[in-house]
Amino acid sequence: MTRTLEWKVRMYLSEEDGTTRARMVLDTGTAKLTGRGTARCNPQDVDVPEIGDELAASRAMSDLARQLMRVADQDLEAVGAGSGNTVPAPYGWPSA
């Protein structure tokens, strides 16, 4: 079976008073997931907005990845390949 899909991802960043917030929205065409991340500048540190953007964005991506993995795990369980096993079998790409 050959398939081609396009999933759209949008990243929204905002900064106010040394706090950067990121919201990342994944649209699969059939579902939407939203990841969120925050970064705060320590008052003793030099304020470099790009660093706050990078930290908040990476945290939003990480949040979104956890949600997507949770959905995949639920889908695996629905087809009988889920956590009912005592030792979960690896699937997909290794995380290393």
Side-chain angles (χ1 to χ4, degrees), residues 3 9 23 25-26 33-34 36-38 52 54 57 59 66-67 69 75 77 79 83 95:
R3 293 178 1 139
V9 178
R23 180 171 55 97
V25 179
L26 169 66
L33 296 173
T34 302
R36 298 181 190 285
T38 302
E54 293 162 352
R59 290 169 180 162
R66 280 189 298 272
Q67 291 180 48
M69 185 61 75
D75 290 345
E77 285 184 31
V79 296
S83 65
S95 59

Side-chain angles (χ1 to χ4, degrees), residues 8-14 21-26 35-37 53-54 56-62 64:
K8 297 180 181 168
V9 178
R10 292 195 178 268
M11 176 71 73
Y12 304 92
L13 296 162
S14 63
R21 289 182 172 72
R23 180 171 55 97
M24 182 177 211
V25 179
L26 169 66
R36 298 181 190 285
D53 294 346
E54 293 162 352
S58 68
R59 290 169 180 162
M61 288 180 193
S62 183
L64 183 61

Side-chain angles (χ1 to χ4, degrees), residues 2-86:
T2 301
R3 293 178 1 139
T4 301
L5 300 173
E6 179 178 344
W7 288 5
K8 297 180 181 168
V9 178
R10 292 195 178 268
M11 176 71 73
Y12 304 92
L13 296 162
S14 63
E15 189 271 329
E16 184 178 337
D17 298 327
T19 298
T20 304
R21 289 182 172 72
R23 180 171 55 97
M24 182 177 211
V25 179
L26 169 66
D27 183 353
T28 69
T30 58
K32 283 189 182 180
L33 296 173
T34 302
R36 298 181 190 285
T38 302
R40 290 178 187 81
C41 183
N42 185 318
Q44 287 79 31
D45 291 341
V46 176
D47 187 10
V48 182
E50 293 82 10
I51 295 172
D53 294 346
E54 293 162 352
L55 287 169
S58 68
R59 290 169 180 162
M61 288 180 193
S62 183
D63 181 39
L64 183 61
R66 280 189 298 272
Q67 291 180 48
L68 191 56
M69 185 61 75
R70 196 173 316 122
V71 169
D73 286 340
Q74 291 168 352
D75 290 345
L76 282 167
E77 285 184 31
V79 296
S83 65
N85 303 329
T86 55

